[in-house]
Amino acid sequence: MSNLPEPIVIPRSDHCVSRKSISSNALKVLYRLNEAGFASYLVGGGVRDLLLERHPKDFDIATDASPEEVKELFRNCRLIGRRFRLAHVVFGREIIEVATFRADHSDGDGGATGESGRIVRDNVFGGSLAEDAVRRDFTVNAMYYNIADFSVVDFYEGRADIENRLLRFIGNASERVVEDPVRALRAVRFAAKLDFAIDDSVREAIDEHRHLLKEIPPARLFEEVLKLLQSGDGQDSFAMLRELDLLQFLFPLTAVRLDAGDGYAHALAELALRNTDKRIREEQPVTPAFIYAVLLWPDVVEHAARHEAAGEASIAALHLAADEIIPTQLSATSLPRRYSVPMREIWALQPRLLKARGKRAASLLSNPRFRAAYDFLCLRNDAGEDLESICKRWEELQESPESQAIIEAARKQSRPAARRRRRRPQADKG
Ligand code: ATP
Ligand code: MG
């Protein structure tokens, strides 16, 4: 590529990125690549967040070593991804993602752009740092910390955008969204998380091309939902998804309700996301089963009411409703069974919580999903349903140490024996 910009090189004395704030594993990878004679840079959120004096979620590295060459240097390395091949260097729970500089692939073999202009494969290695930068999404995500001299290399005035707290695409905004419509969701995520403004050009591009999100596989959208709603800024992200009219691609049923001014659905979503954000701040566990259960509930209730009116018992009616609602949701985002099953259980426990008394009530305490279902009941109350006295009754019932022990034992039992390590979703780079 010929018309790539000359970067600004910010020397160590002029920026605040310090090795002390970089994880020792990331440093290990950076140094080893460098010592083997390869270029080796920290890039992406790692550099951006350190410049903002925030803790990066993870550390991504860019190098001119091919994935195979990276693998040869690290015993604990595995190669992943088809569309965008990467090396993962694994240190226990920490995974350092190492991406090889890509070259321009307009007519190469390893790259491909679909008819619609969407990037479907990007595996032509051997590019330069400048070529690596131009394929990234936002200016603030294309800054490189060079382990060789500790400078920060800035191609697209990312540092100025960080200072102005502005999200701007590299290059033509409209093309960037067409190449990868998920970048619209990434704009929302970063704006909410970093408290940045979204540049008008980005908003216009989203306006023009948001419909392309319909073509993104539901599994990839589910991964984005997790990052949007379960990273501690769920409430802001959700509000911004609505503002940019993107919610329809993630939660179509919820979007219709909110657009129609459904106050109950709105209150439920707000409360659930506020709770989720709070739990994350307090390092308590969160699960998509709960968030999905909340967002889909108003539709489930509506369908269940129809089945009850036709003579079904309340729990059966809820299951029939779930059978109708879940497929609509799955056409937008996937929801793995390990979440959809507990989601249904939370729903099915609602009528039981309303009715159970005495021994039945006590036995509900030992249901592994009791606590989530009870929290859900309280949320319904807070959202305006009149369930105050029932919530109170359950609160009192739980108070005794015996009850606490039963609930805790049931919860432990429901947890998988060995926690599976969550794999990082495959990065998708344009
Ligand atoms: P965080 O890890 O805090 O969520 P991040 O900016 O590091 O934010 P990642 O998804 O980890 O985001 O991706 C790392 C980097 O890879 C990004 O900063 C960006 O440069 C590039 N990247 C990731 N996804 C895309 C994409 N869809 N299009 C273009 N570049 C991307
Ligand atoms: Mg990252």
Side-chain angles (χ1 to χ4, degrees):
M1 273 196 202
S2 48
N3 53 353
L4 293 174
E6 280 300 312
I8 302 169
V9 178
I10 310 166
R12 175 64 188 94
S13 53
D14 288 353
H15 67 72
C16 63
V17 178
S18 147
R19 274 168 291 164
K20 277 196 216 102
S21 344
I22 301 172
S23 88
S24 59
N25 294 325
L27 283 173
K28 227 179 272 173
V29 177
L30 284 166
Y31 278 125
R32 191 170 309 167
L33 284 165
N34 188 237
E35 280 156 15
F38 296 111
S40 140
Y41 298 88
L42 189 67
V43 64
V47 181
R48 180 196 68 217
D49 291 354
L50 290 178
L51 286 169
L52 285 163
E53 299 185 30
R54 297 170 58 103
H55 280 296
K57 182 172 85 3
D58 47 42
F59 292 94
D60 302 305
I61 289 174
T63 180
D64 59 359
S66 70
E68 286 73 21
E69 286 168 326
V70 177
K71 193 167 169 57
E72 270 172 35
L73 284 176
F74 299 95
R75 211 166 20 89
N76 47 336
C77 175
R78 55 171 193 247
L79 303 185
I80 65 145
R82 248 199 304 168
R83 188 157 76 127
F84 193 90
R85 221 140 68 79
L86 291 172
H88 272 178
V89 188
V90 183
F91 299 89
R93 297 195 63 143
E94 187 177 20
I95 295 175
I96 308 293
E97 196 167 279
V98 184
T100 303
F101 298 161
R102 261 60 180 171
D104 183 24
H105 60 53
S106 338
D107 37 40
D109 255 5
T113 312
E115 264 171 45
S116 57
R118 183 137 61 87
I119 294 175
V120 290
R121 196 153 20 92
D122 194 358
N123 282 326
V124 183
F125 303 122
S128 63
L129 187 62
E131 284 172 277
D132 187 83
V134 73
R135 324 181 106 58
R136 293 183 182 268
D137 47 6
F138 299 101
T139 60
V140 297
N141 284 349
M143 283 183 285
Y144 298 79
Y145 171 80
N146 187 352
I147 198 67
D149 63 5
F150 314 125
S151 63
V152 168
V153 186
D154 180 5
F155 283 92
Y156 296 99
E157 296 173 29
R159 161 114 126 185
D161 287 340
I162 281 195
E163 276 159 16
N164 299 323
R165 305 189 89 82
L166 185 64
L167 270 185
R168 224 165 31 93
F169 278 122
I170 293 166
N172 180 293
S174 186
E175 283 167 23
R176 302 330 295 267
V177 177
V178 172
E179 278 170 359
D180 183 3
V182 170
R183 290 173 182 157
L185 301 174
R186 290 175 59 85
V188 167
R189 174 156 71 91
F190 294 128
K193 157 170 150 161
L194 307 171
D195 205 10
F196 274 31
I198 299 180
D199 192 64
D200 285 343
S201 61
V202 176
R203 287 177 184 267
E204 283 157 22
I206 293 176
D207 257 339
E208 199 180 341
H209 301 297
R210 65 165 67 73
H211 62 278
L212 297 175
L213 278 167
K214 282 208 187 88
E215 289 157 33
I216 302 299
R220 187 165 174 218
L221 293 184
F222 174 68
E223 292 296 338
E224 286 304 316
V225 164
L226 295 186
K227 293 191 216 167
L228 283 158
L229 302 187
Q230 290 204 150
S231 300
D233 300 289
Q235 232 189 331
D236 288 347
S237 299
F238 193 81
M240 209 168 290
L241 284 172
R242 288 208 61 207
E243 186 190 319
L244 296 184
D245 197 10
L246 293 170
L247 191 66
Q248 53 171 321
F249 303 104
L250 303 178
F251 294 98
L253 294 166
T254 317
V256 167
R257 278 188 184 271
L258 297 183
D259 289 346
D262 183 330
Y264 174 61
H266 184 258
L268 277 179
E270 283 288 302
L271 289 164
L273 292 166
R274 192 191 307 163
N275 273 352
T276 302
D277 289 347
K278 179 162 173 278
R279 290 180 71 96
I280 291 169
R281 274 198 305 280
E282 293 168 355
E283 298 186 1
Q284 289 177 277
V286 295
T287 166
F290 194 84
I291 297 178
Y292 274 73
V294 170
L295 294 178
L296 299 179
W297 176 245
D299 283 280
V300 169
V301 171
E302 197 175 285
H303 282 233
R306 213 183 58 232
H307 291 295
E308 277 198 70
E312 294 288 345
S314 53
I315 296 179
L318 277 171
H319 279 295
L320 289 170
D323 291 340
E324 289 159 1
I325 296 300
I326 293 173
T328 309
Q329 180 57 41
L330 295 187
S331 67
T333 75
S334 59
L335 181 67
R337 279 183 57 81
R338 66 180 180 282
Y339 303 126
S340 64
V341 170
M343 171 178 79
R344 294 179 80 113
E345 288 169 356
I346 291 172
W347 290 336
L349 278 167
Q350 295 305 304
R352 296 176 67 190
L353 288 176
L354 294 187
K355 288 182 203 139
R357 288 272 197 307
K359 266 200 189 140
R360 285 244 169 97
S363 84
L364 268 186
L365 293 179
S366 62
N367 186 303
R369 224 57 75 187
F370 168 77
R371 189 63 212 200
Y374 164 74
D375 287 345
F376 193 92
L377 187 79
C378 297
L379 201 82
R380 290 171 57 192
N381 181 53
D382 295 340
E385 283 187 70
D386 183 13
L387 302 168
E388 191 71 43
S389 59
I390 299 173
C391 291
K392 192 106 206 128
R393 198 167 76 226
W394 281 107
E395 192 189 321
E396 282 160 11
L397 193 64
Q398 288 174 71
E399 261 160 18
S400 73
E402 296 91 318
S403 302
Q404 293 283 338
I406 295 172
I407 296 167
E408 202 33 48
R411 281 234 303 251
K412 278 210 182 102
Q413 215 187 351
S414 79
R415 266 180 227 144
R419 267 182 73 117
R420 282 212 330 206
R421 195 188 300 127
R422 209 175 90 71
R423 275 197 306 173
R424 287 193 57 187
Q426 178 192 332
D428 284 293
K429 290 156 209 196

